Amino acid sequence: MTSATTDGPAPAGHREAPRRGRASGGDLRAGLLFLAAGAALNAALAAAGLWSDFAWPAIGASFVLLVLACERIGRLVPVKGRAAYERTLALGFPLLVLVLWELAADSGFINPTWFPPPSRIGAALWDLSTRYDRFSGTTLLGRPWLMPEAFSKEGWAGIWALVAESHVFATVARVLVGFVLGAIPGVLLGVVMGLNQTVRLMLDTTLSAIYVLPKIAIFPIVMLMFADPFGEAPKILVVGLSVFILMAINTMAAVRGIDRVYLMAGRNYGARGWSMLRHVILPGALPVIFSGLRMALGTAMIVIISVEFVRAKQGVGYMTFYYWEVLNPEKMYAGLVVVMILGVLLTYALQWLQRRLMPWQK
Amino acid sequence: MTASLPAAAPKIAARSVSKHYPTADGTMVALEDFSLDVADGEFVCIVGPSGCGKSTFLRMVAGLESISLGSIDIRPGSERGKPLNSVVFQEYAIFPWKTLIENVAFGPQMRGVGRAERLDTARYWLDRVGLGKFADYYPHQISGGMKQRVSIIRALANDPEVLLMDEPLGALDAQTRVVIQEELLRIWEETRKTVLYITHSLDEAVLLGDRVILMSAQPGRRLATFRIELPRPRSIAMTNSPRFAEYRAQIWEQLSAEVTRAMEARP
Ligand SMILES: Nc1ncnc2c1ncn2[C@@H]1O[C@H](COP(=O)(O)OP(=O)(O)OP(=O)(O)O)[C@@H](O)[C@H]1O
Ligand SMILES: [Mg+2]
């Protein structure tokens, strides 16, 4: 019926416009239809009293319908609004999950004692950030609001006293020191292994074997290697060791993956030894090294949090485990949230470094 | 008497060169008993079927590949500190992590030339081939033809005793190719460097070369030599002349026979 109008002897420009209009109208209708279908499905199940019996299939189906709806609606977004649309999708979905979690906990559908709603976790996080724990003499962030006064009274020593009581500082410091102390020699060994077959053959198997060991399992041995087994050194070392092994393996692969023709070009134009390393091998391996660093950062976080679970008097991992032991799930979850935030922030920092060091990659 | 001797000695002397690659099922002979003298200031082109060992030979001349048998020498010039050879690689091989100007200045930088001086040299060559505007671009931001130009002027900026070029224009479209051939001709007439130039294109070989060496299919041997006595300075227009066509036909006759032979020899 409608096709009769478009097939008619209208000028080409006129034929395009209604067709596009029809298609986009179709997308909008289909999108809304998918949303309505999702709502209807859940409502029908709830009305029949069957929702909780079929919770997982219902959630799965709702998710699929939501994806279909978003795809259709996404087609309507003009090119200019594309970035905003993508951001909305990336942030909106986690937000939706949080809202649903909140509703589910409030309605008693999930047990709010063990799965406290996000609002209560948020409140716990605020509480942790603003309160000084007299019992352990620690805070989460180091009470930044006291810092100006402390600085005017005692100078840097005053600031340091506040920072030193912070869980976040303890964890971040251990991760960063361990990361740097592990990554630099790891990359250097990886370069040697990538270039020299003998070294590679001698060490490759050993490194692969140590790589798969859970670092928490060798932590007791690491502790024994130090005069003060409960101090910072063993914690930093075990982080450094994990990063070292991973970076050695990763950098070896990175160096071996450099196209041979770049090495030949470097040699032919006079690069030798250090200049070869500086101008050809390191930049050639850098993209792969950075993806390795990103993994190593994740590993470092995992290792330090698990070490802090068992052996620490300070740190985000210690704090998280402590609140679990005293049966305060809200604060335990708040601790986990802090771990995630730290992971995201450190990854951003690494990406910033990557952009600085590799300007040739967009 | 003693002064005239070095002038007569070849700039590149390759004597009975062979290259063997050890493989899982025995030795693979890539190049066999190959000899070649290139005079100072001579432009020698090598053509031959794909896989006959041209790149292998060039890399051996450059010292980037070990020589199984025989010897290759490049006679150093009187100027001290001048690099013996610079290669233009078949695969461009300009560094993706350096800007164009850093790429072109790379050779001088490795020889310890000061920053200002080497950047001046690099800028001169970039301007020469019309890439001055792109000095601070990275290779991924420019086209294939531009990359190949960068790769060529990286070698020229290094000012070597001999230039070793491995199909520098192989990957280019016909129009870009002609433009760069003209540029190469002009630059060579000015500098008169010793050049060893590998190409698949007979037109290119006849247009650029003083001599064209034809190689046999694998294992690579020297099959024939053609002296190209077209007047210099040359230009693209010459490719339409009857003499040019004659040279091309001569070489093509032998090359096509060799390619056919190689195809039939294959099991
Ligand atoms: N590292 C290697 N190990 C074994 N064989 C090799 C190796 N490098 C090259 N070859 C072989 O040597 C022969 C010559 O290779 P080369 O790259 O020199 O050929 P070419 O004449 O440059 O070919 P094209 O014109 O296609 O570039 C080929 O048959 C190739 O398979
Ligand atoms: Mg080749």
Side-chain angles (χ1 to χ4, degrees):
Chain A
M1 250 167 50
T2 33
S3 69
T5 54
T6 50
D7 286 346
H14 286 271
R15 288 165 61 124
E16 269 309 306
R19 193 177 293 164
R20 208 184 302 143
R22 225 174 43 202
S24 60
D27 279 337
L28 185 60
R29 216 173 312 131
L32 293 177
L33 214 66
F34 282 128
L35 285 181
L41 173 73
N42 287 295
L45 280 174
L50 289 172
W51 200 91
S52 39
D53 292 330
F54 291 96
W56 290 114
I59 291 172
S62 307
F63 179 72
V64 171
L65 287 168
L66 183 63
V67 169
L68 290 171
C70 289
E71 294 238 307
R72 285 310 183 92
I73 293 168
R75 284 186 207 165
L76 301 175
V77 177
V79 179
K80 254 197 303 183
R82 203 68 215 166
Y85 167 73
E86 280 163 14
R87 225 172 307 127
T88 313
L89 214 55
L91 292 178
F93 183 72
L95 215 65
L96 178 69
V97 171
L98 289 181
V99 168
L100 290 178
W101 179 357
E102 182 85 32
L103 291 176
D106 280 350
S107 66
F109 182 69
I110 53 176
N111 186 338
T113 312
W114 305 126
F115 302 101
S119 58
R120 270 166 54 198
I121 296 174
L125 188 56
W126 177 254
D127 194 42
L128 282 173
S129 311
T130 52
R131 194 126 8 118
Y132 175 68
D133 185 58
R134 240 169 269 282
F135 170 68
S136 61
T138 56
T139 57
L140 182 61
L141 300 173
R143 293 186 283 180
W145 59 93
L146 292 184
M147 282 181 187
E149 200 193 321
F151 185 69
S152 60
K153 257 194 235 152
E154 301 163 62
W156 290 112
I159 302 260
W160 170 245
L162 286 169
V163 168
E165 70 189 24
S166 155
H167 289 302
V168 166
F169 169 76
T171 300
V172 169
R174 286 168 190 152
V175 164
L176 287 186
V177 174
F179 190 74
V180 172
L181 289 185
I184 291 172
V187 167
L188 291 179
L189 180 64
V191 168
V192 173
M193 287 174 67
L195 297 175
N196 184 298
Q197 198 201 13
T198 310
V199 179
R200 179 165 66 243
L201 290 174
M202 279 163 56
L203 294 185
D204 199 2
T205 314
T206 315
L207 287 185
S208 307
I210 303 177
Y211 174 59
V212 296
L213 276 184
K215 301 305 169 294
I216 193 76
I218 53 171
F219 188 61
I221 304 290
V222 174
M223 287 173 69
L224 291 179
M225 290 161 56
F226 291 90
D228 175 13
F230 298 98
E232 292 300 320
K235 299 182 183 69
I236 290 170
L237 181 72
V238 78
V239 170
L241 187 68
S242 325
V243 174
F244 171 79
I245 303 276
L246 205 151
M247 285 320 295
I249 294 175
N250 175 266
T251 307
M252 173 183 73
V255 169
R256 299 199 65 196
I258 300 174
D259 197 336
R260 205 170 84 94
V261 79
Y262 293 126
L263 302 178
M264 290 202 291
R267 229 183 99 76
N268 187 245
Y269 285 86
R272 299 283 182 278
W274 165 247
S275 59
M276 189 72 162
L277 192 68
R278 157 88 182 69
H279 291 280
V280 182
I281 293 169
L282 281 182
L286 217 48
V288 180
I289 289 180
F290 260 104
S291 62
L293 285 175
R294 200 165 159 182
M295 277 195 292
L297 190 62
T299 307
M301 280 304 283
I302 293 171
V303 167
I304 197 60
I305 297 299
S306 44
V307 164
E308 287 175 352
F309 261 41
V310 287
R311 288 267 180 273
K313 291 277 160 281
Q314 201 183 346
V316 180
Y318 159 79
M319 184 192 82
T320 307
F321 196 65
Y322 168 79
Y323 285 117
W324 170 242
E325 282 186 317
V326 300
L327 286 187
N328 191 335
E330 277 95 345
K331 288 191 174 166
M332 183 201 77
Y333 277 98
L336 295 180
V337 170
V338 173
V339 173
M340 291 191 277
I341 293 173
L342 286 182
V344 170
L345 290 182
L346 288 175
T347 304
Y348 278 161
L350 199 61
Q351 284 169 342
W352 174 82
L353 190 70
Q354 180 170 11
R355 279 196 299 275
R356 291 297 303 273
L357 288 181
M358 297 172 41
W360 66 89
Q361 280 208 336
K362 273 179 299 181
Chain B
M1 205 177 81
T2 40
S4 68
L5 206 66
K11 193 75 187 167
I12 306 173
R15 297 285 138 77
S16 307
V17 178
S18 295
K19 179 69 190 181
H20 304 158
Y21 284 114
T23 60
D25 34 45
T27 314
M28 200 285 239
V29 182
L31 195 74
E32 195 168 37
D33 197 24
F34 189 88
S35 296
L36 175 68
D37 280 357
V38 180
D40 207 351
E42 193 184 15
F43 198 122
V44 172
C45 293
I46 300 182
V47 294
S50 185
C52 72
K54 304 183 293 290
S55 298
T56 305
F57 175 65
L58 193 100
R59 285 201 296 267
M60 288 194 290
V61 176
L64 295 171
E65 192 103 57
S66 66
I67 302 167
S68 305
L69 286 173
S71 70
I72 302 179
D73 287 305
I74 300 178
R75 186 165 51 82
S78 47
E79 240 179 282
R80 294 188 68 240
K82 209 171 165 181
L84 274 187
N85 71 81
S86 296
V87 180
V88 178
F89 291 89
Q90 193 169 357
E91 312 85 343
Y92 311 152
I94 56 174
F95 302 121
W97 49 86
K98 289 183 179 287
T99 59
L100 301 198
I101 193 162
E102 287 168 347
N103 262 293
V104 178
F106 183 65
Q109 184 182 11
M110 291 300 105
R111 277 185 286 119
V113 175
R115 187 181 162 77
E117 191 187 335
R118 66 176 190 252
L119 289 184
D120 276 351
T121 312
R123 196 160 287 120
Y124 164 78
W125 283 107
L126 283 168
D127 285 335
R128 217 32 254 246
V129 296
L131 290 176
K133 280 204 303 281
F134 303 98
D136 295 321
Y137 281 48
Y138 284 99
H140 76 85
Q141 296 169 306
I142 62 173
S143 73
M146 291 154 97
K147 277 182 211 165
Q148 197 50 281
R149 263 182 265 196
V150 174
S151 153
I152 292 170
I153 61 173
R154 175 174 68 179
L156 289 166
N158 204 25
D159 193 23
E161 293 287 338
V162 304
L163 265 178
L164 305 173
M165 306 174 95
D166 191 354
E167 295 192 39
L169 312 183
L172 301 183
D173 62 277
Q175 297 91 310
T176 317
R177 214 181 153 109
V178 168
V179 171
I180 305 186
Q181 279 170 356
E182 287 263 26
E183 267 168 14
L184 267 180
L185 271 177
R186 255 185 292 126
I187 293 169
W188 186 78
E189 303 287 356
E190 277 169 37
T191 57
R192 291 278 169 169
K193 275 206 182 304
T194 313
V195 181
L196 198 59
Y197 191 102
I198 293 174
T199 176
H200 266 133
S201 156
L202 297 189
D203 277 351
E204 195 166 288
V206 176
L207 176 67
L208 299 174
D210 294 315
R211 264 192 304 159
V212 177
I213 311 288
L214 179 61
M215 282 176 73
S216 70
Q218 195 207 332
R221 288 201 194 85
R222 196 162 150 185
L223 205 64
T225 307
F226 303 86
R227 189 163 286 283
I228 311 296
E229 268 148 5
L230 294 171
R232 303 248 183 208
R234 297 180 188 166
S235 73
I236 289 292
M238 281 186 185
T239 51
N240 297 320
S241 74
R243 273 184 76 196
F244 191 96
E246 208 173 293
Y247 280 125
R248 189 177 38 200
Q250 261 181 33
I251 303 175
W252 173 241
E253 197 181 331
Q254 292 221 26
L255 178 61
S256 64
E258 180 57 22
V259 172
T260 317
R261 195 189 65 76
M263 304 259 263
E264 280 165 359
R266 227 160 257 171

